Amino acid sequence: MGNFFKTLKDGCFQAQNGCGWTDIQPLVTGILKNLIAIGMFVAAFMVAYAGWTLFRGQGEPAARSKAKHILISVVIGSIILMGAYFIVDLILTKLQVSQEIRNISI
C-alpha cells in the first residue's frame, strides 16, 4: 500500500502541468488491485460466517436456508468482482497499456 501512495505523490502532485495519462494509470491499477484483495478477503470471511451459521443452527431449516443464501450471495459477488477485474484488464489490453504500468507493486 505504501508504494501506491508514493506513486500518487511522486506522479500527480509533483507534476508541473497536472496529471497526465501516465500518472492516472498507476493510480487506477493500484485502486483496482486493492479492491480485489479486500473483496476476496470479505468473501472468505462471509464463507466462514455461513459455515458458522449452519453449525450454530444445528440442522434447523431456517439456519440452512440462511447459510445457503449467504453462500450463493458470496459466489455471485465473487463472480461480479472477478468479472469486473477481467473487463478492466481487457480494456487496458486493448488500449495497449504497458505491462510496466499495469504490474505496479502495491
Side-chain angles (χ1 to χ4, degrees), residues 72-89:
I72 290 172
S73 298
V74 167
V75 169
I76 291 171
S78 297
I79 290 171
I80 291 171
L81 182 66
M82 295 309 294
Y85 174 79
F86 288 125
I87 288 171
V88 170
D89 187 56

mmCIF file of all heavy atoms in Angstrom, residues 72-89:
data_model
loop_
_atom_site.group_PDB
_atom_site.id
_atom_site.type_symbol
_atom_site.label_atom_id
_atom_site.label_comp_id
_atom_site.label_asym_id
_atom_site.label_seq_id
_atom_site.Cartn_x
_atom_site.Cartn_y
_atom_site.Cartn_z
ATOM 1 N N ILE A 72 -24.633 -18.431 -1.692
ATOM 2 C CA ILE A 72 -25.000 -18.054 -3.056
ATOM 3 C C ILE A 72 -24.640 -16.587 -3.309
ATOM 4 O O ILE A 72 -24.113 -16.241 -4.374
ATOM 5 C CB ILE A 72 -26.497 -18.325 -3.310
ATOM 6 C CG1 ILE A 72 -26.746 -19.835 -3.363
ATOM 7 C CG2 ILE A 72 -26.970 -17.654 -4.598
ATOM 8 C CD1 ILE A 72 -28.211 -20.215 -3.408
ATOM 9 N N SER A 73 -24.886 -15.733 -2.337
ATOM 10 C CA SER A 73 -24.543 -14.315 -2.488
ATOM 11 C C SER A 73 -23.036 -14.109 -2.626
ATOM 12 O O SER A 73 -22.584 -13.274 -3.416
ATOM 13 C CB SER A 73 -25.062 -13.512 -1.298
ATOM 14 O OG SER A 73 -26.466 -13.586 -1.233
ATOM 15 N N VAL A 74 -22.257 -14.879 -1.861
ATOM 16 C CA VAL A 74 -20.798 -14.779 -1.943
ATOM 17 C C VAL A 74 -20.311 -15.216 -3.324
ATOM 18 O O VAL A 74 -19.447 -14.562 -3.923
ATOM 19 C CB VAL A 74 -20.121 -15.607 -0.826
ATOM 20 C CG1 VAL A 74 -18.637 -15.771 -1.078
ATOM 21 C CG2 VAL A 74 -20.356 -14.969 0.519
ATOM 22 N N VAL A 75 -20.859 -16.298 -3.831
ATOM 23 C CA VAL A 75 -20.451 -16.781 -5.153
ATOM 24 C C VAL A 75 -20.797 -15.750 -6.230
ATOM 25 O O VAL A 75 -19.963 -15.419 -7.081
ATOM 26 C CB VAL A 75 -21.091 -18.153 -5.465
ATOM 27 C CG1 VAL A 75 -20.903 -18.528 -6.918
ATOM 28 C CG2 VAL A 75 -20.510 -19.220 -4.559
ATOM 29 N N ILE A 76 -21.999 -15.217 -6.187
ATOM 30 C CA ILE A 76 -22.403 -14.205 -7.176
ATOM 31 C C ILE A 76 -21.535 -12.953 -7.051
ATOM 32 O O ILE A 76 -21.066 -12.408 -8.057
ATOM 33 C CB ILE A 76 -23.902 -13.866 -7.016
ATOM 34 C CG1 ILE A 76 -24.749 -15.059 -7.438
ATOM 35 C CG2 ILE A 76 -24.266 -12.631 -7.832
ATOM 36 C CD1 ILE A 76 -26.219 -14.912 -7.127
ATOM 37 N N GLY A 77 -21.286 -12.503 -5.840
ATOM 38 C CA GLY A 77 -20.435 -11.331 -5.633
ATOM 39 C C GLY A 77 -19.011 -11.548 -6.114
ATOM 40 O O GLY A 77 -18.402 -10.659 -6.715
ATOM 41 N N SER A 78 -18.471 -12.737 -5.870
ATOM 42 C CA SER A 78 -17.117 -13.047 -6.332
ATOM 43 C C SER A 78 -17.045 -13.090 -7.852
ATOM 44 O O SER A 78 -16.064 -12.620 -8.445
ATOM 45 C CB SER A 78 -16.648 -14.382 -5.754
ATOM 46 O OG SER A 78 -16.573 -14.303 -4.351
ATOM 47 N N ILE A 79 -18.083 -13.628 -8.476
ATOM 48 C CA ILE A 79 -18.122 -13.653 -9.946
ATOM 49 C C ILE A 79 -18.175 -12.232 -10.502
ATOM 50 O O ILE A 79 -17.466 -11.903 -11.461
ATOM 51 C CB ILE A 79 -19.312 -14.500 -10.434
ATOM 52 C CG1 ILE A 79 -19.054 -15.977 -10.145
ATOM 53 C CG2 ILE A 79 -19.569 -14.273 -11.920
ATOM 54 C CD1 ILE A 79 -20.253 -16.866 -10.380
ATOM 55 N N ILE A 80 -18.980 -11.375 -9.890
ATOM 56 C CA ILE A 80 -19.059 -9.976 -10.335
ATOM 57 C C ILE A 80 -17.712 -9.276 -10.131
ATOM 58 O O ILE A 80 -17.236 -8.555 -11.016
ATOM 59 C CB ILE A 80 -20.187 -9.234 -9.591
ATOM 60 C CG1 ILE A 80 -21.545 -9.762 -10.051
ATOM 61 C CG2 ILE A 80 -20.086 -7.726 -9.803
ATOM 62 C CD1 ILE A 80 -22.713 -9.250 -9.237
ATOM 63 N N LEU A 81 -17.075 -9.499 -8.985
ATOM 64 C CA LEU A 81 -15.786 -8.869 -8.688
ATOM 65 C C LEU A 81 -14.716 -9.297 -9.682
ATOM 66 O O LEU A 81 -14.014 -8.452 -10.251
ATOM 67 C CB LEU A 81 -15.364 -9.208 -7.261
ATOM 68 C CG LEU A 81 -14.064 -8.604 -6.761
ATOM 69 C CD1 LEU A 81 -14.207 -7.091 -6.660
ATOM 70 C CD2 LEU A 81 -13.702 -9.192 -5.415
ATOM 71 N N MET A 82 -14.612 -10.588 -9.916
ATOM 72 C CA MET A 82 -13.598 -11.073 -10.851
ATOM 73 C C MET A 82 -13.945 -10.686 -12.287
ATOM 74 O O MET A 82 -13.057 -10.385 -13.088
ATOM 75 C CB MET A 82 -13.429 -12.587 -10.715
ATOM 76 C CG MET A 82 -12.880 -13.010 -9.363
ATOM 77 S SD MET A 82 -11.391 -12.134 -8.854
ATOM 78 C CE MET A 82 -10.224 -12.701 -10.051
ATOM 79 N N GLY A 83 -15.232 -10.669 -12.610
ATOM 80 C CA GLY A 83 -15.649 -10.223 -13.941
ATOM 81 C C GLY A 83 -15.271 -8.779 -14.187
ATOM 82 O O GLY A 83 -14.795 -8.422 -15.274
ATOM 83 N N ALA A 84 -15.454 -7.934 -13.189
ATOM 84 C CA ALA A 84 -15.076 -6.522 -13.318
ATOM 85 C C ALA A 84 -13.567 -6.396 -13.515
ATOM 86 O O ALA A 84 -13.102 -5.599 -14.338
ATOM 87 C CB ALA A 84 -15.513 -5.742 -12.086
ATOM 88 N N TYR A 85 -12.812 -7.204 -12.786
ATOM 89 C CA TYR A 85 -11.359 -7.177 -12.947
ATOM 90 C C TYR A 85 -10.966 -7.561 -14.373
ATOM 91 O O TYR A 85 -10.142 -6.895 -15.000
ATOM 92 C CB TYR A 85 -10.697 -8.118 -11.941
ATOM 93 C CG TYR A 85 -9.212 -8.242 -12.156
ATOM 94 C CD1 TYR A 85 -8.343 -7.255 -11.704
ATOM 95 C CD2 TYR A 85 -8.673 -9.332 -12.833
ATOM 96 C CE1 TYR A 85 -6.983 -7.350 -11.906
ATOM 97 C CE2 TYR A 85 -7.317 -9.430 -13.047
ATOM 98 C CZ TYR A 85 -6.476 -8.445 -12.582
ATOM 99 O OH TYR A 85 -5.130 -8.541 -12.796
ATOM 100 N N PHE A 86 -11.567 -8.630 -14.887
ATOM 101 C CA PHE A 86 -11.210 -9.082 -16.231
ATOM 102 C C PHE A 86 -11.672 -8.102 -17.308
ATOM 103 O O PHE A 86 -11.006 -7.946 -18.329
ATOM 104 C CB PHE A 86 -11.747 -10.481 -16.487
ATOM 105 C CG PHE A 86 -10.995 -11.536 -15.716
ATOM 106 C CD1 PHE A 86 -11.665 -12.397 -14.881
ATOM 107 C CD2 PHE A 86 -9.620 -11.635 -15.805
ATOM 108 C CE1 PHE A 86 -10.971 -13.356 -14.160
ATOM 109 C CE2 PHE A 86 -8.918 -12.585 -15.084
ATOM 110 C CZ PHE A 86 -9.591 -13.446 -14.262
ATOM 111 N N ILE A 87 -12.776 -7.418 -17.083
ATOM 112 C CA ILE A 87 -13.225 -6.397 -18.050
ATOM 113 C C ILE A 87 -12.233 -5.234 -18.083
ATOM 114 O O ILE A 87 -11.839 -4.776 -19.162
ATOM 115 C CB ILE A 87 -14.651 -5.914 -17.711
ATOM 116 C CG1 ILE A 87 -15.659 -7.010 -18.033
ATOM 117 C CG2 ILE A 87 -14.984 -4.629 -18.472
ATOM 118 C CD1 ILE A 87 -17.057 -6.730 -17.532
ATOM 119 N N VAL A 88 -11.802 -4.772 -16.911
ATOM 120 C CA VAL A 88 -10.823 -3.684 -16.868
ATOM 121 C C VAL A 88 -9.503 -4.138 -17.489
ATOM 122 O O VAL A 88 -8.862 -3.398 -18.237
ATOM 123 C CB VAL A 88 -10.623 -3.185 -15.424
ATOM 124 C CG1 VAL A 88 -9.442 -2.238 -15.325
ATOM 125 C CG2 VAL A 88 -11.879 -2.519 -14.920
ATOM 126 N N ASP A 89 -9.103 -5.376 -17.204
ATOM 127 C CA ASP A 89 -7.874 -5.912 -17.793
ATOM 128 C C ASP A 89 -7.986 -5.969 -19.316
ATOM 129 O O ASP A 89 -7.033 -5.631 -20.028
ATOM 130 C CB ASP A 89 -7.590 -7.300 -17.219
ATOM 131 C CG ASP A 89 -6.247 -7.828 -17.664
ATOM 132 O OD1 ASP A 89 -5.232 -7.133 -17.429
ATOM 133 O OD2 ASP A 89 -6.206 -8.926 -18.256
#
